[in-house]
Amino acid sequence: MNIAIVGRPNVGKSALFNRIAGRRIAIVHGQPGITRDRISAKCEIDGKTFRLWDTGGIVGAGETQLTGDVRASAELAMKESDLILFVVDGQDGLNPMDRELARLVRKLHKPVLLLVNKIDDPKHQPRADEFSALGFGNVFPVSAAHGLGVETLNDEIARLLPVGERSIDKVGAIHRVVRQTAGDWGQSPLPQLKIAIAGRPNAGKSSLINALLHDRRAIVSEFPGTTRDAVDIEYEREGKRYLFIDTAGIRARSKHSSSVEVFSVMRAEKTITRADICVLVIDAAEGIKAQDRRIAALIQKARKACVIALNKWDLVRTNRKQRQTMEDAIANARAELFFIDYAPVLVTSALTGEHADRIFKMIERIRRAARAHIGTGKLNRALRAAFAANPPPMVKGKRLKLFYATQSGGDQLREFAPPEIVLFVNSPHLLTQPFARFLEARIRELEPYPGLPILLTCRARSER
């Protein structure tokens, strides 16, 4: 069952979404129009499961193309939902825009609960009576900020939900929200493969997601910064479950225009750490910029699997020497992002969909590579030959000695866990960064591990 939260801008829809979902998912801010894309979460009340949708604020006439897209996305969410939570602002009172939206909601002939938000004190409950003029029988005074009335709302939602499984669903993605109290925010593990789509503003991240899903799921605009929340989009393909995370464009902190953007970028950076694999989207028409290198460094520092997508290939492609142009673009990206050279580079066009499906093929290739294991004997012979051919440098009069090497079992709970090579040496601090890169190159000659960083872990051991 799908439940959509709708209303005009700044009535507290995202705050209510977070409150019902039981965790901070949507960005909440006093500035109107923060939420643009549809955001969803799987929830459960009294053993009954449903999907909750947060939508952008719906505005009236005179809207721009961007706000028109927000409205269209919200209307689609309402049409696809089985229950609508219509949110109004109890402090502002009845607004003409509320009346317009009420007419729109009634045309859908769906069950509606009218939520009068910002009733932060029981003394303010009479303010909710004014909204009876909208003609909805089920009126609930609530406070998203303090949790007042949310328990009663949850009981009503549970009453309207069909009887389902009395347990977490098969994929374990449902988060219990029964009797959430103020400040009690849980964490919900997501079982799908989590793919973070990261990059600079206007690199085409949302467009690429739409191309991969063959659906206009994320809002796209030429205006940089359209995506603000980290938007989770579930997708199933060939029996595999994916969770695409569309992030806000990350740009240099000095260029942030508002506190909203700062928080959006912080959310995007945090998304990189929770993802299983990152797709770094780069504007091929503009080339590699300093901020692209900074984002790649964030991914490399987080030790995440990565694919680099050179987007907007349709603007770069020439009628003649297409292959040479493509090879030059890939070679340039590898040179500019040399420190994350394990990441394969693909060219694509989100606008035309050209080569977009190659991203799925590369993800599966990386998935298979994560299962690869180098035999201990083979590994030791290769590394001893590397030490003999190119001895490590002296550090304070001492030289690194390798006694033994083995590949650890790795993190069995992570499908895309990077391979870990354990080196038993005389002194771990003698391993310099350049020599570590040299050893990594030798290891990749045995097993390339495309898209995956290699972890070198040194453990001290006496020569005896």
Side-chain angles (χ1 to χ4, degrees):
M1 183 170 179
N2 290 299
I3 300 177
I5 301 178
V6 302
R8 60 185 176 85
N10 213 31
V11 295
K13 298 183 297 300
S14 295
L16 269 170
F17 175 86
N18 289 342
R19 178 65 66 177
I20 296 172
R23 54 196 174 109
R24 293 185 179 95
I25 302 172
I27 293 177
V28 177
H29 194 277
Q31 177 183 329
I34 297 304
T35 301
R36 289 169 175 169
D37 290 282
R38 285 180 288 158
I39 304 171
S40 71
K42 284 185 177 180
C43 306
E44 179 180 333
I45 297 178
D46 292 342
K48 300 176 181 179
T49 62
F50 62 96
R51 178 167 290 282
L52 186 66
W53 293 87
D54 185 20
T55 64
I58 299 178
V59 298
E63 57 199 14
T64 64
Q65 179 184 348
L66 177 57
T67 53
D69 288 342
V70 173
R71 178 185 178 122
S73 180
E75 290 178 355
L76 180 61
M78 286 192 289
K79 289 177 182 177
E80 294 178 347
S81 292
D82 306 290
L83 173 65
I84 296 173
L85 305 183
F86 180 16
V87 185
V88 293
D89 190 328
Q91 291 186 4
D92 284 356
L94 190 58
N95 185 290
M97 211 179 299
D98 295 326
R99 295 181 184 275
E100 179 185 343
L101 183 52
R103 286 193 293 270
L104 178 64
V105 169
R106 269 195 294 270
K107 288 179 182 178
L108 297 173
H109 303 290
K110 301 283 182 76
V112 179
L113 302 182
L114 180 62
L115 312 184
V116 185
N117 192 27
K118 304 182 184 180
I119 305 298
D120 300 328
D121 189 291
K123 294 183 295 185
H124 299 156
Q125 290 205 20
R127 296 179 183 177
D129 298 337
E130 177 185 1
F131 293 90
S132 299
L134 293 176
F136 297 105
N138 297 308
V139 181
F140 293 84
V142 296
S143 170
H146 303 291
L148 298 175
V150 175
E151 185 172 311
T152 302
L153 171 63
N154 281 344
D155 289 339
E156 180 62 17
I157 292 174
R159 189 184 69 80
L160 296 173
L161 288 171
V163 177
E165 294 293 329
R166 290 275 169 179
S167 61
I168 302 300
D169 70 351
K170 292 180 181 178
V171 296
I174 306 302
H175 178 70
R176 293 188 177 276
V177 298
V178 182
R179 306 294 182 261
Q180 290 289 341
T181 58
D184 181 16
W185 305 97
Q187 293 296 323
S188 171
L190 293 170
Q192 305 96 333
L193 170 62
K194 296 185 285 294
I195 306 171
I197 308 295
R200 290 188 290 115
N202 220 27
K205 299 180 296 298
S206 298
S207 298
L208 182 58
I209 288 181
N210 290 341
L212 291 170
L213 273 58
H214 302 287
D215 181 25
R216 199 169 183 275
R217 176 64 177 81
I219 293 176
V220 177
S221 171
E222 293 182 359
F223 177 71
T226 299
T227 302
R228 283 170 166 169
D229 284 287
V231 182
D232 290 4
I233 303 172
E234 290 183 321
Y235 182 62
E236 187 168 330
R237 173 188 168 98
E238 299 177 353
K240 296 182 176 68
R241 297 172 63 84
Y242 300 93
L243 184 77
F244 287 96
I245 310 170
D246 187 12
T247 64
I250 304 175
R251 57 179 170 179
R253 290 292 175 96
S254 60
K255 295 182 180 178
H256 291 165
S257 58
S258 66
S259 61
V260 174
E261 186 172 355
V262 171
F263 192 53
S264 297
V265 170
M266 289 173 61
R267 183 72 62 88
E269 292 174 352
K270 187 176 180 181
T271 295
I272 290 174
T273 63
R274 77 178 176 101
D276 297 307
I277 185 169
C278 299
V279 176
L280 173 55
V281 183
I282 293 174
D283 187 334
E286 292 189 1
I288 308 293
K289 302 291 186 181
Q291 192 60 13
D292 293 318
R293 288 189 284 271
R294 293 190 188 100
I295 299 168
L298 288 174
I299 296 171
Q300 194 267 347
K301 183 179 179 182
R303 312 303 284 165
K304 294 295 179 178
C306 181
V307 175
I308 298 170
L310 300 180
N311 191 28
K312 304 187 182 180
W313 175 241
D314 54 294
L315 300 180
V316 178
R317 183 185 54 223
T318 57
N319 292 329
R320 299 177 60 186
K321 298 183 179 179
Q322 287 195 32
R323 177 174 290 277
Q324 187 61 48
T325 304
M326 182 184 296
E327 290 176 354
D328 290 345
I330 292 174
N332 179 67
R334 291 190 183 283
E336 293 283 348
L337 303 173
F338 64 91
F339 53 90
I340 195 170
D341 57 356
Y342 62 84
V345 182
L346 306 175
V347 296
T348 185
S349 169
L351 181 64
T352 66
E354 188 176 7
H355 304 320
D357 281 354
R358 289 184 181 178
I359 292 176
F360 285 111
K361 294 178 181 177
M362 184 54 67
I363 288 172
E364 292 310 309
R365 184 183 172 194
I366 297 171
R367 191 199 298 266
R368 291 192 298 270
R371 305 185 188 122
H373 190 89
I374 303 174
T376 301
K378 185 178 180 181
L379 178 63
N380 278 273
R381 286 192 296 272
L383 292 185
R384 286 189 178 121
F387 269 73
N390 183 21
M394 299 289 288
V395 178
K396 295 182 179 179
K398 293 184 179 181
R399 195 187 303 274
L400 182 72
K401 291 183 180 180
L402 174 66
F403 302 129
Y404 184 72
T406 186
Q407 182 173 348
S408 74
D411 187 345
Q412 300 297 323
L413 299 178
R414 290 175 57 192
E415 259 196 306
F416 287 76
E420 181 183 17
I421 307 298
V422 181
L423 306 177
F424 293 92
V425 298
N426 55 334
S427 183
H429 77 272
L430 296 177
L431 177 64
T432 63
Q433 196 62 36
F435 194 73
R437 287 196 295 268
F438 166 72
L439 293 180
E440 181 180 332
R442 300 290 77 77
I443 293 168
R444 290 192 188 276
E445 290 177 358
L446 302 176
E447 188 64 55
Y449 294 117
L452 294 163
I454 292 177
L455 306 182
L456 291 181
T457 303
C458 286
R459 294 184 185 173
R461 178 175 171 181
S462 66
E463 189 167 0
R464 183 166 63 103

